[in-house]
Short mmCIF file of all heavy atoms in Angstrom, two decimals:
data_model
loop_
_atom_site.label_atom_id
_atom_site.label_comp_id
_atom_site.label_asym_id
_atom_site.label_seq_id
_atom_site.Cartn_x
_atom_site.Cartn_y
_atom_site.Cartn_z
N GLU Z 1 1.40 -6.44 13.83
CA GLU Z 1 1.75 -5.11 13.45
C GLU Z 1 2.05 -5.10 11.91
O GLU Z 1 1.73 -4.21 11.15
CB GLU Z 1 2.85 -4.52 14.27
CG GLU Z 1 2.51 -4.17 15.65
CD GLU Z 1 3.62 -3.71 16.51
OE1 GLU Z 1 4.76 -3.69 16.06
OE2 GLU Z 1 3.39 -3.41 17.68
N GLU Z 2 2.91 -6.13 11.47
CA GLU Z 2 3.25 -6.28 10.10
C GLU Z 2 2.02 -6.44 9.29
O GLU Z 2 1.99 -5.91 8.16
CB GLU Z 2 4.21 -7.32 9.95
CG GLU Z 2 5.14 -7.26 8.68
CD GLU Z 2 5.99 -6.00 8.62
OE1 GLU Z 2 6.54 -5.64 9.67
OE2 GLU Z 2 6.28 -5.59 7.53
N SER Z 3 1.15 -7.28 9.65
CA SER Z 3 0.00 -7.54 8.87
C SER Z 3 -0.93 -6.31 8.82
O SER Z 3 -1.42 -5.99 7.70
CB SER Z 3 -0.83 -8.72 9.69
OG SER Z 3 -2.05 -8.92 8.94
N LEU Z 4 -0.99 -5.53 9.84
CA LEU Z 4 -1.76 -4.33 9.81
C LEU Z 4 -1.16 -3.30 8.84
O LEU Z 4 -1.78 -2.68 8.08
CB LEU Z 4 -1.91 -3.62 11.19
CG LEU Z 4 -2.61 -2.33 11.29
CD1 LEU Z 4 -4.09 -2.52 10.79
CD2 LEU Z 4 -2.57 -1.87 12.74
N LYS Z 5 0.24 -3.22 8.95
CA LYS Z 5 0.90 -2.35 7.97
C LYS Z 5 0.66 -2.67 6.60
O LYS Z 5 0.41 -1.86 5.70
CB LYS Z 5 2.44 -2.29 8.35
CG LYS Z 5 3.19 -1.29 7.65
CD LYS Z 5 4.73 -1.32 7.94
CE LYS Z 5 4.92 -0.89 9.38
NZ LYS Z 5 6.36 -0.86 9.63
N ASN Z 6 0.69 -3.95 6.31
CA ASN Z 6 0.51 -4.42 4.92
C ASN Z 6 -0.89 -4.09 4.50
O ASN Z 6 -1.10 -3.71 3.26
CB ASN Z 6 0.75 -5.98 4.91
CG ASN Z 6 2.17 -6.38 4.87
OD1 ASN Z 6 3.10 -5.47 4.70
ND2 ASN Z 6 2.57 -7.51 5.33
N GLU Z 7 -1.90 -4.23 5.35
CA GLU Z 7 -3.30 -3.89 5.00
C GLU Z 7 -3.46 -2.44 4.69
O GLU Z 7 -4.07 -2.08 3.70
CB GLU Z 7 -4.22 -4.29 6.14
CG GLU Z 7 -4.41 -5.79 6.24
CD GLU Z 7 -5.44 -6.17 7.27
OE1 GLU Z 7 -6.40 -5.39 7.49
OE2 GLU Z 7 -5.27 -7.13 7.96
N LEU Z 8 -2.76 -1.63 5.50
CA LEU Z 8 -2.74 -0.15 5.26
C LEU Z 8 -2.09 0.24 3.97
O LEU Z 8 -2.62 1.09 3.16
CB LEU Z 8 -2.14 0.52 6.44
CG LEU Z 8 -2.84 0.49 7.72
CD1 LEU Z 8 -1.95 1.05 8.94
CD2 LEU Z 8 -4.21 1.16 7.75
N VAL Z 9 -1.00 -0.37 3.63
CA VAL Z 9 -0.24 -0.09 2.39
C VAL Z 9 -1.15 -0.56 1.20
O VAL Z 9 -1.24 0.22 0.20
CB VAL Z 9 1.08 -0.77 2.31
CG1 VAL Z 9 1.76 -0.75 1.00
CG2 VAL Z 9 2.08 -0.19 3.38
N GLN Z 10 -1.78 -1.71 1.30
CA GLN Z 10 -2.64 -2.12 0.26
C GLN Z 10 -3.83 -1.21 0.08
O GLN Z 10 -4.27 -0.84 -1.14
CB GLN Z 10 -3.23 -3.51 0.52
CG GLN Z 10 -2.21 -4.67 0.18
CD GLN Z 10 -1.77 -4.61 -1.26
OE1 GLN Z 10 -0.64 -4.23 -1.55
NE2 GLN Z 10 -2.60 -4.83 -2.16
N GLY Z 11 -4.35 -0.68 1.17
CA GLY Z 11 -5.47 0.30 1.09
C GLY Z 11 -4.99 1.58 0.35
O GLY Z 11 -5.79 2.13 -0.42
N VAL Z 12 -3.80 2.03 0.60
CA VAL Z 12 -3.29 3.24 -0.06
C VAL Z 12 -3.05 2.95 -1.55
O VAL Z 12 -3.35 3.74 -2.38
CB VAL Z 12 -1.94 3.73 0.61
CG1 VAL Z 12 -1.28 4.73 -0.22
CG2 VAL Z 12 -2.15 4.15 1.93
N ALA Z 13 -2.60 1.74 -1.87
CA ALA Z 13 -2.44 1.32 -3.28
C ALA Z 13 -3.73 1.43 -3.98
O ALA Z 13 -3.90 1.85 -5.14
CB ALA Z 13 -1.77 -0.01 -3.43
N GLU Z 14 -4.84 0.91 -3.32
CA GLU Z 14 -6.15 0.80 -3.95
C GLU Z 14 -6.67 2.24 -4.18
O GLU Z 14 -7.30 2.65 -5.14
CB GLU Z 14 -7.09 0.06 -3.10
CG GLU Z 14 -7.00 -1.44 -3.31
CD GLU Z 14 -7.36 -1.91 -4.63
OE1 GLU Z 14 -8.32 -1.43 -5.23
OE2 GLU Z 14 -6.50 -2.66 -5.16
N GLU Z 15 -6.41 3.20 -3.05
CA GLU Z 15 -6.84 4.58 -3.26
C GLU Z 15 -6.16 5.26 -4.41
O GLU Z 15 -6.76 6.00 -5.21
CB GLU Z 15 -6.51 5.34 -1.94
CG GLU Z 15 -7.04 6.66 -1.90
CD GLU Z 15 -6.73 7.36 -0.50
OE1 GLU Z 15 -6.18 6.72 0.38
OE2 GLU Z 15 -7.07 8.59 -0.55
N LEU Z 16 -4.80 5.10 -4.48
CA LEU Z 16 -4.09 5.67 -5.64
C LEU Z 16 -4.61 5.06 -6.90
O LEU Z 16 -4.68 5.83 -7.96
CB LEU Z 16 -2.53 5.42 -5.56
CG LEU Z 16 -1.95 6.16 -4.38
CD1 LEU Z 16 -0.45 5.72 -4.28
CD2 LEU Z 16 -1.89 7.70 -4.76
N LYS Z 17 -4.92 3.80 -7.06
CA LYS Z 17 -5.46 3.21 -8.25
C LYS Z 17 -6.69 3.91 -8.68
O LYS Z 17 -6.87 4.26 -9.87
CB LYS Z 17 -5.64 1.67 -8.02
CG LYS Z 17 -6.27 1.00 -9.17
CD LYS Z 17 -6.59 -0.46 -8.81
CE LYS Z 17 -7.25 -1.13 -9.98
NZ LYS Z 17 -7.59 -2.50 -9.65
N LYS Z 18 -7.54 4.16 -7.70
CA LYS Z 18 -8.88 4.81 -8.10
C LYS Z 18 -8.61 6.33 -8.54
O LYS Z 18 -9.20 6.79 -9.42
CB LYS Z 18 -9.83 4.83 -6.81
CG LYS Z 18 -10.40 3.43 -6.58
CD LYS Z 18 -11.21 3.49 -5.35
CE LYS Z 18 -11.66 2.01 -5.02
NZ LYS Z 18 -12.36 1.97 -3.76
N LEU Z 19 -7.70 6.93 -7.79
CA LEU Z 19 -7.40 8.35 -8.08
C LEU Z 19 -6.80 8.62 -9.40
O LEU Z 19 -7.09 9.51 -10.21
CB LEU Z 19 -6.46 9.06 -7.04
CG LEU Z 19 -7.16 9.22 -5.74
CD1 LEU Z 19 -6.02 9.63 -4.69
CD2 LEU Z 19 -8.12 10.43 -5.84
N LEU Z 20 -5.79 7.66 -9.75
CA LEU Z 20 -5.07 7.77 -11.02
C LEU Z 20 -5.69 7.06 -12.23
O LEU Z 20 -5.23 7.24 -13.38
CB LEU Z 20 -3.58 7.31 -10.75
CG LEU Z 20 -2.79 8.12 -9.76
CD1 LEU Z 20 -1.54 7.44 -9.44
CD2 LEU Z 20 -2.59 9.63 -10.23
N GLY Z 21 -6.57 6.07 -11.93
CA GLY Z 21 -7.24 5.33 -12.94
C GLY Z 21 -6.30 4.23 -13.54
O GLY Z 21 -6.57 3.91 -14.74
N THR Z 22 -5.31 3.82 -12.78
CA THR Z 22 -4.41 2.73 -13.35
C THR Z 22 -3.85 1.97 -12.19
O THR Z 22 -3.95 2.27 -11.05
CB THR Z 22 -3.30 3.40 -14.15
OG1 THR Z 22 -2.56 2.37 -14.96
CG2 THR Z 22 -2.33 4.20 -13.35
N LYS Z 23 -3.19 0.82 -12.59
CA LYS Z 23 -2.67 -0.10 -11.57
C LYS Z 23 -1.55 0.64 -10.81
O LYS Z 23 -0.64 1.33 -11.40
CB LYS Z 23 -2.08 -1.34 -12.20
CG LYS Z 23 -1.54 -2.41 -11.23
CD LYS Z 23 -1.12 -3.60 -12.00
CE LYS Z 23 -0.43 -4.54 -11.02
NZ LYS Z 23 0.10 -5.74 -11.71
N VAL Z 24 -1.53 0.47 -9.52
CA VAL Z 24 -0.48 1.04 -8.59
C VAL Z 24 0.00 -0.07 -7.62
O VAL Z 24 -0.91 -0.79 -7.08
CB VAL Z 24 -0.95 2.24 -7.78
CG1 VAL Z 24 0.04 2.68 -6.82
CG2 VAL Z 24 -1.45 3.33 -8.66
N THR Z 25 1.33 -0.29 -7.55
CA THR Z 25 1.79 -1.21 -6.58
C THR Z 25 2.74 -0.51 -5.65
O THR Z 25 3.44 0.47 -6.05
CB THR Z 25 2.52 -2.35 -7.29
OG1 THR Z 25 3.57 -1.86 -8.12
CG2 THR Z 25 1.58 -3.24 -8.07
N ILE Z 26 2.74 -0.94 -4.40
CA ILE Z 26 3.64 -0.38 -3.44
C ILE Z 26 4.51 -1.47 -2.85
O ILE Z 26 3.97 -2.49 -2.38
CB ILE Z 26 2.85 0.38 -2.27
CG1 ILE Z 26 1.99 1.49 -2.89
CG2 ILE Z 26 3.77 0.92 -1.19
CD1 ILE Z 26 1.04 2.09 -1.88
N ASP Z 27 5.79 -1.26 -2.88
CA ASP Z 27 6.71 -2.17 -2.20
C ASP Z 27 7.33 -1.57 -1.05
O ASP Z 27 8.07 -0.64 -1.05
CB ASP Z 27 7.95 -2.48 -3.23
CG ASP Z 27 8.91 -3.38 -2.79
OD1 ASP Z 27 8.65 -4.06 -1.68
OD2 ASP Z 27 9.99 -3.42 -3.21
N TYR Z 28 6.68 -1.96 0.11
CA TYR Z 28 7.06 -1.26 1.36
C TYR Z 28 7.72 -2.31 2.32
O TYR Z 28 7.19 -3.38 2.57
CB TYR Z 28 5.73 -0.79 2.01
CG TYR Z 28 5.84 0.10 3.28
CD1 TYR Z 28 5.98 1.40 3.10
CD2 TYR Z 28 5.84 -0.51 4.50
CE1 TYR Z 28 6.18 2.23 4.29
CE2 TYR Z 28 6.10 0.28 5.70
CZ TYR Z 28 6.19 1.59 5.52
OH TYR Z 28 6.33 2.39 6.67
N ASN Z 29 8.91 -1.88 2.77
CA ASN Z 29 9.54 -2.88 3.71
C ASN Z 29 9.43 -2.50 5.10
O ASN Z 29 9.02 -1.38 5.48
CB ASN Z 29 11.12 -3.10 3.31
CG ASN Z 29 11.94 -2.00 3.56
OD1 ASN Z 29 11.73 -1.19 4.49
ND2 ASN Z 29 12.97 -1.74 2.60
N SER Z 30 9.90 -3.28 6.04
CA SER Z 30 9.79 -3.08 7.43
C SER Z 30 10.58 -1.94 7.96
O SER Z 30 10.46 -1.54 9.17
CB SER Z 30 10.12 -4.36 8.22
OG SER Z 30 11.41 -4.75 8.01
N LYS Z 31 11.48 -1.40 7.13
CA LYS Z 31 12.38 -0.22 7.65
C LYS Z 31 11.79 1.09 7.18
O LYS Z 31 12.51 2.02 7.16
CB LYS Z 31 13.76 -0.41 7.14
CG LYS Z 31 14.45 -1.72 7.72
CD LYS Z 31 15.76 -1.86 7.12
CE LYS Z 31 16.45 -3.17 7.63
NZ LYS Z 31 17.70 -3.48 7.08
N SER Z 32 10.50 1.06 6.88
CA SER Z 32 9.82 2.30 6.38
C SER Z 32 10.41 2.89 5.12
O SER Z 32 10.47 4.15 4.98
CB SER Z 32 9.79 3.37 7.60
OG SER Z 32 9.13 2.85 8.68
#
């Protein structure tokens, strides 16, 4: 579940990167 959540968060970071045209990082912990 943690691995899947990390993949989803990385996918969102990539989507934001494309939308905004710049590097985006997401620091997401297990407590939402």
Side-chain angles (χ1 to χ4, degrees):
E1 289 174 359
E2 199 63 33
S3 177
L4 178 60
K5 189 182 292 185
N6 288 338
E7 286 181 38
L8 292 172
V9 168
Q10 280 304 110
V12 170
E14 283 298 314
E15 184 178 358
L16 287 172
K17 177 182 176 182
K18 289 176 185 174
L19 287 169
L20 298 172
T22 191
K23 181 178 177 182
V24 174
T25 55
I26 301 176
D27 178 17
Y28 187 90
N29 70 32
S30 61
K31 296 178 183 174
S32 300

